[in-house]
Short mmCIF file of all heavy atoms in Angstrom, two decimals:
data_model
loop_
_atom_site.label_atom_id
_atom_site.label_comp_id
_atom_site.label_asym_id
_atom_site.label_seq_id
_atom_site.Cartn_x
_atom_site.Cartn_y
_atom_site.Cartn_z
N TYR A 104 63.94 -9.09 45.56
CA TYR A 104 64.91 -8.01 45.50
C TYR A 104 65.54 -7.73 46.86
O TYR A 104 64.85 -7.29 47.79
CB TYR A 104 64.22 -6.75 44.98
CG TYR A 104 65.16 -5.59 44.78
CD1 TYR A 104 66.00 -5.53 43.67
CD2 TYR A 104 65.21 -4.54 45.71
CE1 TYR A 104 66.85 -4.46 43.49
CE2 TYR A 104 66.07 -3.48 45.54
CZ TYR A 104 66.89 -3.44 44.42
OH TYR A 104 67.74 -2.38 44.24
N VAL A 317 59.79 -10.67 19.83
CA VAL A 317 58.38 -10.98 19.57
C VAL A 317 58.29 -11.74 18.26
O VAL A 317 58.68 -11.23 17.21
CB VAL A 317 57.53 -9.69 19.47
CG1 VAL A 317 56.07 -10.04 19.21
CG2 VAL A 317 57.66 -8.86 20.74
N PRO A 365 39.36 -13.53 15.33
CA PRO A 365 38.62 -14.65 15.93
C PRO A 365 39.52 -15.69 16.62
O PRO A 365 39.10 -16.31 17.58
CB PRO A 365 37.89 -15.30 14.74
CG PRO A 365 38.21 -14.50 13.54
CD PRO A 365 39.22 -13.47 13.88
N LEU A 407 49.24 -7.71 0.13
CA LEU A 407 47.86 -7.75 -0.39
C LEU A 407 47.56 -6.61 -1.34
O LEU A 407 46.48 -6.55 -1.93
CB LEU A 407 46.86 -7.72 0.77
CG LEU A 407 46.84 -8.93 1.71
CD1 LEU A 407 45.87 -8.67 2.85
CD2 LEU A 407 46.43 -10.18 0.95
N ASN A 452 47.11 10.83 0.88
CA ASN A 452 47.03 10.28 -0.47
C ASN A 452 47.84 11.01 -1.53
O ASN A 452 47.68 10.75 -2.71
CB ASN A 452 45.55 10.22 -0.92
CG ASN A 452 44.79 9.19 -0.11
OD1 ASN A 452 45.23 8.06 0.04
ND2 ASN A 452 43.65 9.59 0.45
N LYS A 457 60.57 10.59 -4.49
CA LYS A 457 61.72 9.68 -4.39
C LYS A 457 62.40 9.81 -3.03
O LYS A 457 62.62 10.91 -2.54
CB LYS A 457 62.72 10.03 -5.50
CG LYS A 457 63.58 8.85 -5.88
CD LYS A 457 64.31 9.09 -7.18
CE LYS A 457 65.03 7.79 -7.58
NZ LYS A 457 66.08 8.02 -8.54
N ALA A 466 47.69 1.63 18.00
CA ALA A 466 47.87 0.70 19.11
C ALA A 466 46.87 1.01 20.20
O ALA A 466 46.14 2.01 20.12
CB ALA A 466 49.29 0.82 19.66
N SER A 565 21.09 25.43 52.55
CA SER A 565 19.66 25.25 52.33
C SER A 565 18.87 25.77 53.54
O SER A 565 17.78 26.30 53.40
CB SER A 565 19.32 23.78 52.07
OG SER A 565 19.49 23.02 53.24
N LYS A 585 18.82 28.14 42.52
CA LYS A 585 18.51 28.31 41.10
C LYS A 585 17.18 29.04 40.91
O LYS A 585 16.96 29.73 39.93
CB LYS A 585 18.48 26.94 40.40
CG LYS A 585 19.90 26.38 40.20
CD LYS A 585 19.87 25.01 39.53
CE LYS A 585 19.95 23.96 40.63
NZ LYS A 585 20.21 22.61 40.08
N GLU A 643 62.56 11.06 5.09
CA GLU A 643 63.38 11.14 3.88
C GLU A 643 64.65 10.38 4.20
O GLU A 643 65.25 10.60 5.25
CB GLU A 643 63.71 12.58 3.56
CG GLU A 643 64.43 12.76 2.24
CD GLU A 643 64.61 14.25 1.95
OE1 GLU A 643 65.36 14.91 2.70
OE2 GLU A 643 63.99 14.74 0.99
N ARG A 708 72.32 8.55 23.24
CA ARG A 708 71.79 9.79 22.69
C ARG A 708 70.27 9.85 22.68
O ARG A 708 69.61 9.08 22.03
CB ARG A 708 72.32 9.96 21.25
CG ARG A 708 73.83 9.88 21.15
CD ARG A 708 74.53 10.92 21.96
NE ARG A 708 74.33 12.27 21.44
CZ ARG A 708 74.80 13.37 22.00
NH1 ARG A 708 75.46 13.29 23.13
NH2 ARG A 708 74.59 14.55 21.44
N THR A 719 52.41 17.47 14.77
CA THR A 719 50.99 17.81 14.97
C THR A 719 50.42 16.90 16.04
O THR A 719 50.63 15.69 16.02
CB THR A 719 50.20 17.57 13.66
OG1 THR A 719 50.80 18.33 12.63
CG2 THR A 719 48.74 17.99 13.82
N LYS A 773 73.20 -1.13 4.80
CA LYS A 773 73.47 -2.54 4.52
C LYS A 773 72.30 -3.15 3.76
O LYS A 773 72.49 -3.85 2.77
CB LYS A 773 73.66 -3.26 5.86
CG LYS A 773 74.24 -4.62 5.75
CD LYS A 773 74.86 -5.08 7.07
CE LYS A 773 75.44 -6.48 6.88
NZ LYS A 773 75.05 -7.39 7.93
N LYS A 782 69.03 -7.44 -6.84
CA LYS A 782 68.55 -7.02 -8.17
C LYS A 782 69.55 -7.46 -9.22
O LYS A 782 69.19 -7.85 -10.30
CB LYS A 782 68.43 -5.49 -8.22
CG LYS A 782 67.14 -4.96 -7.67
CD LYS A 782 66.88 -3.55 -8.17
CE LYS A 782 65.60 -2.99 -7.57
NZ LYS A 782 65.77 -1.61 -7.16
#
Side-chain angles (χ1 to χ4, degrees):
Chain A
Y104 185 77
V317 181
L407 294 176
N452 291 311
K457 206 166 187 199
S565 70
K585 285 179 264 192
E643 186 175 66
R708 306 300 291 177
T719 304
K773 193 159 180 228
K782 276 199 182 137

